[in-house]
Amino acid sequence: MATKIRLQRHGRKGYAFYQIVVADSRAPRDGRFIERIGSYNPNTNPATVDLNFERALYWLQVGAQPTDTTRNILSREGVCLKKHLLEGVKKGAFDEAAAEEKFQAWKKGKEASLQAVKDKASEAAREVAKARLEAEKEVNKAKAEVVAQKKAELAAAAAAKAAEEAAAAAATEEAPAAESAE
């Protein structure tokens, strides 16, 4: 029986996530499978992969053929490299300790690069938030200036109206005083 390591689609339209499964090569994409070995969610940044490393390595060693996308996922997670190193040990190119040391060095570098990507994304998000805050402060400053100008205009109008009323009151006081003097 020819086995494949493939993706099985789940989720709603426009928001798919996948199960990584080992299935008979004749089975349909979302049909029967032999074993579920992980999941893949491309909707997150970076994409989230939850993989049973040992079982994936086992299935590769017994001859299961991964599809193109699954091969990329397994390669990114280091399963293909581990399989390659173990084949080198079988052939006598180096011993198992050296293979494990090479794998751990690769894994450490991979984790560092993944962390760098996450840090860069969070820094970009902080910069966007900072720029948005600065723009909002500018808008609020402009609004405050308009409000202050309107208040100054209202205060000037009120002062002019009070001066006008005072002048009118003074004129009415002078008029009766002038009439009584005649």
Side-chain angles (χ1 to χ4, degrees), residues 5-179:
I5 300 176
R6 63 167 56 148
L7 297 177
Q8 197 175 49
R9 190 181 193 284
H10 292 282
R12 67 175 194 265
K13 180 178 175 181
Y15 197 81
F17 66 92
Y18 301 90
Q19 303 295 336
I20 302 170
V21 297
V22 177
D24 184 356
S25 62
R26 298 167 293 183
R29 178 188 72 179
D30 297 336
R32 285 181 51 190
F33 59 90
I34 300 168
E35 182 180 359
R36 179 182 175 273
I37 59 173
S39 64
Y40 168 64
N41 185 358
N43 302 310
T44 60
N45 187 16
T48 307
V49 176
D50 178 32
L51 184 67
N52 185 339
F53 190 89
E54 296 302 320
R55 292 305 292 171
L57 181 61
Y58 165 78
W59 281 107
L60 279 180
Q61 287 176 331
V62 296
Q65 295 297 312
T67 60
D68 293 338
T69 306
T70 309
R71 181 178 293 112
N72 290 337
I73 293 169
L74 295 176
S75 179
R76 187 175 39 200
E77 293 297 310
V79 177
C80 293
L81 177 66
K82 183 76 169 187
K83 177 182 180 260
H84 176 73
L85 291 172
L86 291 176
E87 286 175 1
V89 169
K90 281 183 192 174
K91 292 179 180 178
F94 41 83
D95 63 342
E96 197 167 325
E100 188 62 30
E101 185 178 310
K102 286 182 180 183
F103 180 72
Q104 292 302 326
W106 175 86
K107 191 173 181 181
K108 188 175 181 180
K110 187 71 171 177
E111 288 172 356
S113 66
L114 183 63
Q115 188 61 39
V117 167
K118 287 181 180 180
D119 291 344
K120 186 176 179 182
S122 66
E123 182 64 31
R126 274 196 294 273
E127 290 297 323
V128 167
K130 193 176 189 180
R132 194 178 311 133
L133 179 63
E134 291 298 323
E136 189 174 337
K137 283 182 180 179
E138 290 296 321
V139 168
N140 288 343
K141 186 177 179 181
K143 284 181 182 179
E145 288 175 1
V146 169
V147 168
Q149 185 180 7
K150 284 185 179 180
K151 283 185 178 181
E153 289 173 0
L154 289 175
K161 189 173 183 180
E164 191 177 294
E165 287 176 0
T172 54
E173 279 183 18
E174 288 180 13
E179 286 179 11

